[in-house]
Structures are given as C-alpha cells and as structure tokens.
Amino acid sequence: MKFVTGNIFLAGAMTLSFMLVHGPAQARDTISIIGSSTVYPFATVVAEKFGKTTHFKTPKIESTGSGGGFKLFCGGVGTNYPDITNASRAVKSSELRRCATNGVKDIVEIKIGYDGIVLANSRKATPLKLTRRDIFLALAKDVPDPTGSGKLIPNPYKTWKDVNPSLPATPIEVLGPPPTSGTRDAFVELAMEGGGKTFPFIKAMKKNDKKSYKKLCHTIREDGAYIEAGENDNLIVQKLQSNPSAVGIFGFSFLDQNNDVIQGSTIEGQGPTFEAIAEGKYPISRPLFFYVKKAHVDVIPGIREYLTEFTSEKAWGPEGYLSDKGMIPMPDPERNKYRTIAADLKTIEM
C-alpha cells in the first residue's frame, strides 16, 4: 500500500465502502434523476443529447415534483437511491437534515437558470390582467373582510369580478400544482405573499407573528376554487383547452411551448415573456436547480460528463438549446460560478 498515493487510496476506500454497504459499484450503469416537473423537460433534453453524443447510456428521468424528489434523494446513498434531483426551488433546511440523517452528507447545488410562474387561460377566453393582490384574494383560504373591519374571514369570492370589478365575471377555477411541487412553493411565496403584503396589517404580521403570517399567505382555499391537478403540467394545458373559463398555474416553458392554444396573464402590467423574466421585470419568477449526490460520482458512470454537458454554453448559454426550450439563462457571472461548482463538485454547507 505504500506505493499508492493518499488521494487514490482514499477514493478507493470510498468506492470499496460504497460496494460493501450497497452492493457492486456497477450494479447500475444508468444515471437516475428525479424531481421537479418544471425542470423535467430541460433535464430530458440534456439527457437525450448526452446519450447521443457520449458512450454513456441516456439517464433515466422521472417527474416526481421537487418535494417528492428531495424525499427520495435524501433516502440514502447507494444504487437504490437517485443520483440527482431536479428542483424548482432551493433545498429546505429540513430536507438537508433528512439527508444528513440518512448519510447523504455531500451534496452539490447547481443553479441552472430562471423560470417564470404563469397564470394562463385558453386563447378562446379573455386574457386576464391580474395583480398579486388579486391572486391572493382569489385563492387564499382566509382574506381580509371586504367591509373593512380589519378581520380575516373565510374567502367569500366566487368570481374574478368579485375580487376586482375590472376582471370578468367568470368563476374562480384555478388548476394548479400540489403541495409537493416546487412550483406551488414558489407560487405561494412570490404571488400569494406578494399579494398579502399589500394589506398593511398582514404585512405587519410578518414582523410580529411570522408563523401566522406564513400560514395565512401560504394556505390555499379548499372549497373547490383551487383544483390540485397533479405534477403533470401538460395535463393542465389540456384541461385549459377544454375549459376556457379555467386558469392554470405552471412554469413559463409550458406556456412557451403551448402558446398557440393558451395565453399568459399579465401581472401588474407585465406579461410573462422571456425578456421580462430575464431582466427581472416579471413579478413571479424563480431560480431552477439540480442537486448531485457526490458519493455517487465516479461510481455511477457518466455523472461528471452529464454535469459538463448541462453546464456547457451550448446547453445553458444565451444561445443554447435550453433557451430554445424556454429556460431563462443566468447572467455570465452566475453561469461561470455554477460551472466551476459543478466541475469542482463543491458541496453546500449542511
């Protein structure tokens, strides 16, 4: 053993440990990726390019939602667990604790770009001109008493016109993601909270009673106005086509790919366009990520090479093929930062 360098010995020991605990290192020769339905189409394009241009197999990708992805990803280390999870929000501290408890301690966070959250309806219907306040009043479980008493009451609004006289008198019927979705997390944080804070007494709650504030702004009504449509955003698009009075919530890329049949609502005067999201002008936008299990790199074939493909300019650059699919590229400094993180496998602090 004296002829083996310390680094090589350490890498060999880690691989041997992986094999002893989790079975043969080559028990799986395909990268396993799960997570966000929003990131899914982008990851799928990269995986297909990767499979065609390298000698590695095309990664297997499943759409489980961001929350569901982290639950599976953090289950443990070994070939029975995913290598990468996609996410349309940053990992939560509670999820990192779950990972650490199960031995998943070295995680690489890679931001890949930006996305806008869209409220869209059929092109057969009138386009909606909304504010975040309208969205909060339409979908929150409890809302300020419209009589001005300063109290909260169960949401009484039945139509968009009830919420705002300038909106159409169509029923509030919104098809959106479930609680396991990163899109849902980002929607309640950016749109619902953004609307709630337009009421001074609710804004004050954030400082005085943060728990109650969060519960109020993040709790969506359960009386049928909001319909959980699962993690399949394509299904929401189909339902909007068959029901012109309904509104759907999903990522910008799905609007971009289906703009022949659906249209995005303007939010505070700004439409959900590629340029508006890239410039930070669209009010409901969020970053996209994926997370890599470092212990699986160099054990599952092709992970390093997949990261190289995803973080290449031809993929995530301003003129890259992911931009063509609707992902909003990061500015040059951010792309350089996360490309370096991916190459160096720099892990996040647990």
Side-chain angles (χ1 to χ4, degrees), residues 104-130:
V104 184
K105 296 182 178 179
D106 291 317
I107 301 170
V108 182
E109 177 186 75
I110 301 171
K111 186 190 290 187
I112 60 171
Y114 294 92
D115 183 40
I117 299 176
V118 173
L119 282 81
N121 62 356
S122 168
R123 285 197 171 273
K124 299 174 185 176
T126 302
L128 295 176
K129 297 179 180 180
L130 302 172

PDB file of all heavy atoms in Angstrom, residues 104-130:
ATOM      1  N   VAL A 104     -26.595  11.073   3.621  1.00  0.00           N
ATOM      2  CA  VAL A 104     -26.344  11.859   2.401  1.00  0.00           C
ATOM      3  C   VAL A 104     -25.778  13.203   2.846  1.00  0.00           C
ATOM      4  O   VAL A 104     -26.522  14.131   3.160  1.00  0.00           O
ATOM      5  CB  VAL A 104     -27.634  12.046   1.580  1.00  0.00           C
ATOM      6  CG1 VAL A 104     -27.325  12.790   0.277  1.00  0.00           C
ATOM      7  CG2 VAL A 104     -28.290  10.706   1.290  1.00  0.00           C
ATOM      8  N   LYS A 105     -24.444  13.300   2.886  1.00  0.00           N
ATOM      9  CA  LYS A 105     -23.817  14.450   3.530  1.00  0.00           C
ATOM     10  C   LYS A 105     -23.046  15.362   2.589  1.00  0.00           C
ATOM     11  O   LYS A 105     -22.704  16.478   2.954  1.00  0.00           O
ATOM     12  CB  LYS A 105     -22.909  13.966   4.655  1.00  0.00           C
ATOM     13  CG  LYS A 105     -23.681  13.256   5.770  1.00  0.00           C
ATOM     14  CD  LYS A 105     -22.789  12.810   6.900  1.00  0.00           C
ATOM     15  CE  LYS A 105     -23.612  12.142   8.006  1.00  0.00           C
ATOM     16  NZ  LYS A 105     -22.764  11.678   9.122  1.00  0.00           N
ATOM     17  N   ASP A 106     -22.740  14.916   1.403  1.00  0.00           N
ATOM     18  CA  ASP A 106     -22.006  15.746   0.444  1.00  0.00           C
ATOM     19  C   ASP A 106     -22.881  15.981  -0.781  1.00  0.00           C
ATOM     20  O   ASP A 106     -23.007  15.106  -1.640  1.00  0.00           O
ATOM     21  CB  ASP A 106     -20.690  15.070   0.043  1.00  0.00           C
ATOM     22  CG  ASP A 106     -19.696  15.027   1.194  1.00  0.00           C
ATOM     23  OD1 ASP A 106     -19.570  16.045   1.900  1.00  0.00           O
ATOM     24  OD2 ASP A 106     -19.049  13.986   1.388  1.00  0.00           O
ATOM     25  N   ILE A 107     -23.480  17.174  -0.837  1.00  0.00           N
ATOM     26  CA  ILE A 107     -24.439  17.495  -1.888  1.00  0.00           C
ATOM     27  C   ILE A 107     -23.948  18.717  -2.660  1.00  0.00           C
ATOM     28  O   ILE A 107     -23.548  19.722  -2.065  1.00  0.00           O
ATOM     29  CB  ILE A 107     -25.829  17.780  -1.286  1.00  0.00           C
ATOM     30  CG1 ILE A 107     -26.329  16.559  -0.498  1.00  0.00           C
ATOM     31  CG2 ILE A 107     -26.824  18.167  -2.371  1.00  0.00           C
ATOM     32  CD1 ILE A 107     -27.572  16.842   0.327  1.00  0.00           C
ATOM     33  N   VAL A 108     -23.999  18.633  -3.962  1.00  0.00           N
ATOM     34  CA  VAL A 108     -23.589  19.742  -4.830  1.00  0.00           C
ATOM     35  C   VAL A 108     -24.851  20.421  -5.363  1.00  0.00           C
ATOM     36  O   VAL A 108     -25.704  19.771  -5.968  1.00  0.00           O
ATOM     37  CB  VAL A 108     -22.728  19.235  -5.999  1.00  0.00           C
ATOM     38  CG1 VAL A 108     -22.265  20.421  -6.854  1.00  0.00           C
ATOM     39  CG2 VAL A 108     -21.541  18.431  -5.496  1.00  0.00           C
ATOM     40  N   GLU A 109     -24.974  21.722  -5.113  1.00  0.00           N
ATOM     41  CA  GLU A 109     -26.118  22.502  -5.591  1.00  0.00           C
ATOM     42  C   GLU A 109     -25.716  23.264  -6.850  1.00  0.00           C
ATOM     43  O   GLU A 109     -24.749  24.029  -6.836  1.00  0.00           O
ATOM     44  CB  GLU A 109     -26.574  23.486  -4.524  1.00  0.00           C
ATOM     45  CG  GLU A 109     -27.725  24.379  -4.969  1.00  0.00           C
ATOM     46  CD  GLU A 109     -28.073  25.450  -3.932  1.00  0.00           C
ATOM     47  OE1 GLU A 109     -27.290  26.432  -3.825  1.00  0.00           O
ATOM     48  OE2 GLU A 109     -29.091  25.301  -3.250  1.00  0.00           O
ATOM     49  N   ILE A 110     -26.467  23.056  -7.926  1.00  0.00           N
ATOM     50  CA  ILE A 110     -26.173  23.736  -9.183  1.00  0.00           C
ATOM     51  C   ILE A 110     -27.412  24.478  -9.664  1.00  0.00           C
ATOM     52  O   ILE A 110     -28.433  23.868  -9.996  1.00  0.00           O
ATOM     53  CB  ILE A 110     -25.710  22.731 -10.256  1.00  0.00           C
ATOM     54  CG1 ILE A 110     -24.456  21.989  -9.773  1.00  0.00           C
ATOM     55  CG2 ILE A 110     -25.437  23.446 -11.576  1.00  0.00           C
ATOM     56  CD1 ILE A 110     -24.032  20.848 -10.644  1.00  0.00           C
ATOM     57  N   LYS A 111     -27.323  25.803  -9.656  1.00  0.00           N
ATOM     58  CA  LYS A 111     -28.401  26.611 -10.235  1.00  0.00           C
ATOM     59  C   LYS A 111     -28.245  26.553 -11.747  1.00  0.00           C
ATOM     60  O   LYS A 111     -27.124  26.639 -12.264  1.00  0.00           O
ATOM     61  CB  LYS A 111     -28.338  28.058  -9.752  1.00  0.00           C
ATOM     62  CG  LYS A 111     -29.518  28.908 -10.217  1.00  0.00           C
ATOM     63  CD  LYS A 111     -29.304  30.389  -9.930  1.00  0.00           C
ATOM     64  CE  LYS A 111     -29.351  30.728  -8.469  1.00  0.00           C
ATOM     65  NZ  LYS A 111     -29.314  32.214  -8.258  1.00  0.00           N
ATOM     66  N   ILE A 112     -29.369  26.392 -12.463  1.00  0.00           N
ATOM     67  CA  ILE A 112     -29.261  26.204 -13.916  1.00  0.00           C
ATOM     68  C   ILE A 112     -29.872  27.337 -14.731  1.00  0.00           C
ATOM     69  O   ILE A 112     -29.596  27.468 -15.924  1.00  0.00           O
ATOM     70  CB  ILE A 112     -29.903  24.872 -14.345  1.00  0.00           C
ATOM     71  CG1 ILE A 112     -31.394  24.827 -13.972  1.00  0.00           C
ATOM     72  CG2 ILE A 112     -29.155  23.700 -13.734  1.00  0.00           C
ATOM     73  CD1 ILE A 112     -32.146  23.637 -14.544  1.00  0.00           C
ATOM     74  N   GLY A 113     -30.718  28.167 -14.113  1.00  0.00           N
ATOM     75  CA  GLY A 113     -31.371  29.242 -14.863  1.00  0.00           C
ATOM     76  C   GLY A 113     -32.574  29.746 -14.109  1.00  0.00           C
ATOM     77  O   GLY A 113     -32.724  29.496 -12.903  1.00  0.00           O
ATOM     78  N   TYR A 114     -33.445  30.451 -14.813  1.00  0.00           N
ATOM     79  CA  TYR A 114     -34.632  31.041 -14.190  1.00  0.00           C
ATOM     80  C   TYR A 114     -35.895  30.669 -14.958  1.00  0.00           C
ATOM     81  O   TYR A 114     -35.857  30.276 -16.120  1.00  0.00           O
ATOM     82  CB  TYR A 114     -34.490  32.567 -14.129  1.00  0.00           C
ATOM     83  CG  TYR A 114     -33.389  33.022 -13.208  1.00  0.00           C
ATOM     84  CD1 TYR A 114     -32.108  33.248 -13.681  1.00  0.00           C
ATOM     85  CD2 TYR A 114     -33.625  33.184 -11.840  1.00  0.00           C
ATOM     86  CE1 TYR A 114     -31.081  33.640 -12.832  1.00  0.00           C
ATOM     87  CE2 TYR A 114     -32.613  33.579 -10.986  1.00  0.00           C
ATOM     88  CZ  TYR A 114     -31.345  33.805 -11.479  1.00  0.00           C
ATOM     89  OH  TYR A 114     -30.332  34.177 -10.635  1.00  0.00           O
ATOM     90  N   ASP A 115     -37.001  30.796 -14.261  1.00  0.00           N
ATOM     91  CA  ASP A 115     -38.301  30.467 -14.844  1.00  0.00           C
ATOM     92  C   ASP A 115     -39.339  31.417 -14.264  1.00  0.00           C
ATOM     93  O   ASP A 115     -39.188  31.899 -13.137  1.00  0.00           O
ATOM     94  CB  ASP A 115     -38.656  29.013 -14.500  1.00  0.00           C
ATOM     95  CG  ASP A 115     -39.959  28.567 -15.137  1.00  0.00           C
ATOM     96  OD1 ASP A 115     -40.201  28.929 -16.304  1.00  0.00           O
ATOM     97  OD2 ASP A 115     -40.739  27.862 -14.485  1.00  0.00           O
ATOM     98  N   GLY A 116     -40.376  31.675 -15.013  1.00  0.00           N
ATOM     99  CA  GLY A 116     -41.491  32.459 -14.503  1.00  0.00           C
ATOM    100  C   GLY A 116     -42.671  31.552 -14.204  1.00  0.00           C
ATOM    101  O   GLY A 116     -42.872  30.545 -14.873  1.00  0.00           O
ATOM    102  N   ILE A 117     -43.428  31.889 -13.176  1.00  0.00           N
ATOM    103  CA  ILE A 117     -44.653  31.142 -12.879  1.00  0.00           C
ATOM    104  C   ILE A 117     -45.808  31.880 -13.557  1.00  0.00           C
ATOM    105  O   ILE A 117     -46.014  33.074 -13.339  1.00  0.00           O
ATOM    106  CB  ILE A 117     -44.891  31.024 -11.371  1.00  0.00           C
ATOM    107  CG1 ILE A 117     -43.727  30.262 -10.729  1.00  0.00           C
ATOM    108  CG2 ILE A 117     -46.208  30.316 -11.083  1.00  0.00           C
ATOM    109  CD1 ILE A 117     -43.811  30.179  -9.238  1.00  0.00           C
ATOM    110  N   VAL A 118     -46.524  31.133 -14.353  1.00  0.00           N
ATOM    111  CA  VAL A 118     -47.539  31.724 -15.225  1.00  0.00           C
ATOM    112  C   VAL A 118     -48.943  31.359 -14.759  1.00  0.00           C
ATOM    113  O   VAL A 118     -49.192  30.237 -14.339  1.00  0.00           O
ATOM    114  CB  VAL A 118     -47.329  31.222 -16.670  1.00  0.00           C
ATOM    115  CG1 VAL A 118     -48.447  31.673 -17.582  1.00  0.00           C
ATOM    116  CG2 VAL A 118     -45.975  31.684 -17.200  1.00  0.00           C
ATOM    117  N   LEU A 119     -49.855  32.318 -14.825  1.00  0.00           N
ATOM    118  CA  LEU A 119     -51.284  32.046 -14.705  1.00  0.00           C
ATOM    119  C   LEU A 119     -51.849  32.228 -16.112  1.00  0.00           C
ATOM    120  O   LEU A 119     -51.836  33.337 -16.657  1.00  0.00           O
ATOM    121  CB  LEU A 119     -51.972  33.002 -13.728  1.00  0.00           C
ATOM    122  CG  LEU A 119     -51.763  32.682 -12.237  1.00  0.00           C
ATOM    123  CD1 LEU A 119     -50.424  33.218 -11.756  1.00  0.00           C
ATOM    124  CD2 LEU A 119     -52.893  33.262 -11.394  1.00  0.00           C
ATOM    125  N   ALA A 120     -52.275  31.133 -16.698  1.00  0.00           N
ATOM    126  CA  ALA A 120     -52.678  31.166 -18.099  1.00  0.00           C
ATOM    127  C   ALA A 120     -54.095  30.652 -18.285  1.00  0.00           C
ATOM    128  O   ALA A 120     -54.614  29.895 -17.458  1.00  0.00           O
ATOM    129  CB  ALA A 120     -51.711  30.330 -18.937  1.00  0.00           C
ATOM    130  N   ASN A 121     -54.724  31.072 -19.373  1.00  0.00           N
ATOM    131  CA  ASN A 121     -56.037  30.529 -19.743  1.00  0.00           C
ATOM    132  C   ASN A 121     -56.073  30.278 -21.249  1.00  0.00           C
ATOM    133  O   ASN A 121     -55.130  30.584 -21.976  1.00  0.00           O
ATOM    134  CB  ASN A 121     -57.174  31.449 -19.276  1.00  0.00           C
ATOM    135  CG  ASN A 121     -57.120  32.836 -19.907  1.00  0.00           C
ATOM    136  OD1 ASN A 121     -56.201  33.170 -20.646  1.00  0.00           O
ATOM    137  ND2 ASN A 121     -58.112  33.661 -19.595  1.00  0.00           N
ATOM    138  N   SER A 122     -57.168  29.721 -21.703  1.00  0.00           N
ATOM    139  CA  SER A 122     -57.315  29.383 -23.112  1.00  0.00           C
ATOM    140  C   SER A 122     -57.346  30.644 -23.973  1.00  0.00           C
ATOM    141  O   SER A 122     -57.853  31.698 -23.552  1.00  0.00           O
ATOM    142  CB  SER A 122     -58.619  28.599 -23.316  1.00  0.00           C
ATOM    143  OG  SER A 122     -58.932  28.488 -24.686  1.00  0.00           O
ATOM    144  N   ARG A 123     -56.826  30.533 -25.183  1.00  0.00           N
ATOM    145  CA  ARG A 123     -56.883  31.653 -26.118  1.00  0.00           C
ATOM    146  C   ARG A 123     -58.319  31.935 -26.568  1.00  0.00           C
ATOM    147  O   ARG A 123     -58.579  32.957 -27.195  1.00  0.00           O
ATOM    148  CB  ARG A 123     -55.983  31.388 -27.330  1.00  0.00           C
ATOM    149  CG  ARG A 123     -54.509  31.561 -27.017  1.00  0.00           C
ATOM    150  CD  ARG A 123     -53.674  31.714 -28.268  1.00  0.00           C
ATOM    151  NE  ARG A 123     -52.297  32.083 -27.945  1.00  0.00           N
ATOM    152  CZ  ARG A 123     -51.867  33.331 -27.771  1.00  0.00           C
ATOM    153  NH1 ARG A 123     -52.722  34.332 -27.898  1.00  0.00           N
ATOM    154  NH2 ARG A 123     -50.613  33.569 -27.494  1.00  0.00           N
ATOM    155  N   LYS A 124     -59.237  31.029 -26.246  1.00  0.00           N
ATOM    156  CA  LYS A 124     -60.650  31.254 -26.547  1.00  0.00           C
ATOM    157  C   LYS A 124     -61.269  32.248 -25.556  1.00  0.00           C
ATOM    158  O   LYS A 124     -62.374  32.753 -25.800  1.00  0.00           O
ATOM    159  CB  LYS A 124     -61.416  29.936 -26.484  1.00  0.00           C
ATOM    160  CG  LYS A 124     -60.947  28.879 -27.467  1.00  0.00           C
ATOM    161  CD  LYS A 124     -61.672  27.563 -27.230  1.00  0.00           C
ATOM    162  CE  LYS A 124     -61.136  26.447 -28.109  1.00  0.00           C
ATOM    163  NZ  LYS A 124     -61.790  25.144 -27.792  1.00  0.00           N
ATOM    164  N   ALA A 125     -60.593  32.489 -24.437  1.00  0.00           N
ATOM    165  CA  ALA A 125     -61.119  33.366 -23.386  1.00  0.00           C
ATOM    166  C   ALA A 125     -60.420  34.724 -23.407  1.00  0.00           C
ATOM    167  O   ALA A 125     -59.422  34.925 -24.099  1.00  0.00           O
ATOM    168  CB  ALA A 125     -60.943  32.709 -22.027  1.00  0.00           C
ATOM    169  N   THR A 126     -60.959  35.658 -22.633  1.00  0.00           N
ATOM    170  CA  THR A 126     -60.348  36.985 -22.496  1.00  0.00           C
ATOM    171  C   THR A 126     -59.093  36.866 -21.641  1.00  0.00           C
ATOM    172  O   THR A 126     -59.126  36.237 -20.576  1.00  0.00           O
ATOM    173  CB  THR A 126     -61.326  37.958 -21.814  1.00  0.00           C
ATOM    174  OG1 THR A 126     -62.527  38.020 -22.577  1.00  0.00           O
ATOM    175  CG2 THR A 126     -60.715  39.341 -21.687  1.00  0.00           C
ATOM    176  N   PRO A 127     -57.970  37.441 -22.072  1.00  0.00           N
ATOM    177  CA  PRO A 127     -56.762  37.389 -21.236  1.00  0.00           C
ATOM    178  C   PRO A 127     -56.971  38.161 -19.933  1.00  0.00           C
ATOM    179  O   PRO A 127     -57.657  39.191 -19.924  1.00  0.00           O
ATOM    180  CB  PRO A 127     -55.682  38.036 -22.111  1.00  0.00           C
ATOM    181  CG  PRO A 127     -56.434  38.844 -23.120  1.00  0.00           C
ATOM    182  CD  PRO A 127     -57.730  38.137 -23.341  1.00  0.00           C
ATOM    183  N   LEU A 128     -56.408  37.654 -18.853  1.00  0.00           N
ATOM    184  CA  LEU A 128     -56.579  38.288 -17.553  1.00  0.00           C
ATOM    185  C   LEU A 128     -55.454  39.276 -17.274  1.00  0.00           C
ATOM    186  O   LEU A 128     -54.295  39.034 -17.612  1.00  0.00           O
ATOM    187  CB  LEU A 128     -56.600  37.229 -16.446  1.00  0.00           C
ATOM    188  CG  LEU A 128     -57.773  36.241 -16.460  1.00  0.00           C
ATOM    189  CD1 LEU A 128     -57.595  35.202 -15.370  1.00  0.00           C
ATOM    190  CD2 LEU A 128     -59.092  36.989 -16.266  1.00  0.00           C
ATOM    191  N   LYS A 129     -55.836  40.388 -16.673  1.00  0.00           N
ATOM    192  CA  LYS A 129     -54.865  41.390 -16.232  1.00  0.00           C
ATOM    193  C   LYS A 129     -54.928  41.426 -14.714  1.00  0.00           C
ATOM    194  O   LYS A 129     -55.823  42.046 -14.131  1.00  0.00           O
ATOM    195  CB  LYS A 129     -55.184  42.759 -16.840  1.00  0.00           C
ATOM    196  CG  LYS A 129     -55.097  42.769 -18.367  1.00  0.00           C
ATOM    197  CD  LYS A 129     -55.445  44.134 -18.945  1.00  0.00           C
ATOM    198  CE  LYS A 129     -55.350  44.138 -20.467  1.00  0.00           C
ATOM    199  NZ  LYS A 129     -55.692  45.463 -21.045  1.00  0.00           N
ATOM    200  N   LEU A 130     -53.985  40.725 -14.069  1.00  0.00           N
ATOM    201  CA  LEU A 130     -54.040  40.500 -12.634  1.00  0.00           C
ATOM    202  C   LEU A 130     -52.952  41.265 -11.885  1.00  0.00           C
ATOM    203  O   LEU A 130     -51.963  41.713 -12.474  1.00  0.00           O
ATOM    204  CB  LEU A 130     -53.875  39.003 -12.334  1.00  0.00           C
ATOM    205  CG  LEU A 130     -54.886  38.047 -12.966  1.00  0.00           C
ATOM    206  CD1 LEU A 130     -54.453  36.606 -12.734  1.00  0.00           C
ATOM    207  CD2 LEU A 130     -56.279  38.285 -12.382  1.00  0.00           C
TER     208      LEU A 130
END
